[in-house]
Amino acid sequence: MGLELSRATMANWIIYTSEHWLRPIINRMHEILLTEHHVHCDETTIQVLNEPGKAPTSKSFMWVYSSIKESEHPIRIFEYKPNRKGYNPQIFLNGFRGTIITDAYAGYNKIDCCTNAYCWAHARRKFSDALPNDIDNIDATLPKQAINKIRKLFAIESELESKTAAEKVKIRQFKSKPLLDDFFSWCKEKQNLSTSKKLTTAFTYVLNHEEGLRQYINDGYIPMTNSLDERTIRPFAIGRKNWLFSTSVTGAESSACAYSIIETAKANGIDPYKYLVQIFTYLPSQDIFNDKEILDEFLP
């Protein structure tokens, strides 16, 4: 149309549409997510300039909750919070009964009635960070040996993509469990031989989180990593490099709404632009506050 719109105008439009039409949809998505049996959880930083009681340079957080790949209801919900306290996921997941897949951040341990399954990609990364830079042949080093052991576990998972959950459990118990037993026994044996702080950290990490790292072999719906949620966060992290910060709390909350809708649409194979056009064309004329069933017809 040739119109020039200021950043403030576009931001206000996003805030208005989020409050009036996107938020009710996300609230309904939240209700459905709580009925799932498995949920991915992760968080990343965001800077908010005008947040009461905080310096403009301080960190706030965008939390992300997702249903698993096999879910009949692919859902991705972003939630802005001013801190990384464990009560944030505890409140968001109130009523959820199942397994949460995380990076072993201690804040998720505060969630009642949940099983914690931890991410093997994070465990592997600890040993990758411990690889020495001053040795030409690293194959004989402890970090490399640990990585090789973990690689065997991932190799088994690559063969299970088309298997049912029950088949995955059977194969994991037969193939992966002996490798897990060997890996953790090896870590206990070698941890006192650590020659660096990073390697000590790696050993401590896997041994302290052994129970959560083993969970995936008992449930075919638990993935070996939390990569689904990390992929969901990536567009937000890329966008953050461009827009740098949110001016207000309301703006950050509206961003969470927009990313929730867009990433959920993508997860369901829906064109986000066409979906948003549909929402903004028809939803304003619907009585979504008195007739909640209407919302189900507009879910992405």
Side-chain angles (χ1 to χ4, degrees):
M1 296 173 59
L3 296 176
E4 291 188 7
L5 299 174
S6 68
R7 177 173 178 170
T9 297
M10 290 188 288
N12 287 332
W13 283 358
I14 293 174
I15 291 172
Y16 184 87
T17 55
S18 295
E19 290 177 347
H20 287 78
W21 300 305
L22 300 187
R23 174 53 62 188
I25 293 175
I26 294 167
N27 289 341
R28 178 58 181 142
M29 286 163 47
H30 185 191
E31 292 175 356
I32 296 173
L33 185 65
L34 293 180
T35 67
E36 295 281 316
H37 297 293
H38 305 80
V39 172
H40 288 271
C41 308
D42 205 356
E43 72 288 332
T44 189
T45 58
I46 178 176
Q47 184 179 358
V48 179
L49 297 186
N50 298 312
E51 185 163 19
K54 295 183 66 177
T57 55
S58 62
K59 290 181 180 180
S60 297
F61 287 83
M62 190 68 78
W63 299 73
V64 183
Y65 306 90
S66 305
S67 54
I68 59 174
K69 182 179 65 174
E70 294 86 354
S71 173
E72 295 181 5
H73 307 290
I75 295 173
R76 313 286 186 261
I77 298 180
F78 289 69
E79 184 183 49
Y80 166 76
K81 289 297 177 181
N83 57 52
R84 203 189 181 201
K85 300 291 186 180
Y87 57 71
N88 292 311
Q90 185 179 26
I91 293 172
F92 183 90
L93 293 172
N94 182 38
F96 173 75
R97 300 292 183 269
T99 299
I100 54 174
I101 301 108
T102 75
D103 59 3
Y105 167 52
Y108 295 112
N109 296 334
K110 296 179 179 293
I111 303 171
D112 297 329
C113 302
C114 288
T115 299
N116 287 276
Y118 297 143
C119 175
W120 272 95
H122 282 78
R124 180 177 55 188
R125 196 174 302 152
K126 299 291 184 182
F127 287 104
S128 296
D129 292 341
L131 286 170
N133 298 319
D134 55 351
I135 299 177
D136 292 333
N137 184 8
I138 63 172
D139 291 339
T141 64
L142 292 178
K144 185 62 175 179
Q145 291 177 37
I147 292 170
N148 288 339
K149 289 178 180 293
I150 295 173
R151 182 179 292 122
K152 293 178 181 179
L153 293 169
F154 275 99
I156 295 172
E157 289 302 299
S158 67
E159 302 172 0
L160 305 184
E161 187 65 28
S162 61
K163 303 295 184 181
T164 66
E167 290 171 332
K168 287 181 179 179
V169 171
K170 186 175 181 179
I171 295 171
R172 286 170 175 173
Q173 288 290 331
F174 179 69
K175 290 186 175 182
S176 301
K177 186 179 183 300
L179 295 179
L180 284 171
D181 293 341
D182 171 74
F183 173 76
F184 286 112
S185 294
W186 179 85
C187 287
K188 292 171 184 176
E189 176 187 342
K190 300 296 184 181
Q191 63 175 328
N192 292 329
L193 301 179
S194 174
T195 56
S196 72
K197 182 178 180 180
K198 289 184 177 180
L199 182 55
T200 299
T201 298
F203 278 130
T204 302
Y205 179 88
V206 296
L207 291 175
N208 284 350
H209 299 102
E210 178 178 354
E211 181 179 356
L213 289 169
R214 284 182 177 270
Q215 286 298 329
Y216 82 100
I217 65 170
N218 302 315
D219 185 340
Y221 289 109
I222 299 177
M224 202 175 165
T225 73
N226 197 26
S227 59
L228 184 147
D229 229 26
E230 292 183 350
R231 290 194 300 271
T232 300
I233 282 180
R234 189 170 296 124
F236 177 84
I238 293 173
R240 183 180 55 201
K241 291 181 180 179
N242 294 298
W243 43 260
L244 301 179
F245 54 80
S246 288
T247 302
S248 65
V249 170
T250 304
E253 293 172 341
S254 299
S255 292
C257 286
Y259 276 99
S260 298
I261 291 295
I262 290 171
E263 292 304 316
T264 299
K266 288 164 59 178
N268 284 272
I270 298 173
D271 184 312
Y273 175 78
K274 292 181 180 179
Y275 174 68
L276 288 170
V277 169
Q278 183 84 356
I279 291 296
F280 297 145
T281 300
Y282 296 103
L283 204 57
S285 63
Q286 305 297 319
D287 187 9
I288 59 176
F289 294 100
N290 293 318
D291 190 353
K292 300 296 185 180
E293 293 183 1
I294 293 177
L295 281 176
D296 287 353
E297 300 178 11
F298 287 91
L299 293 176

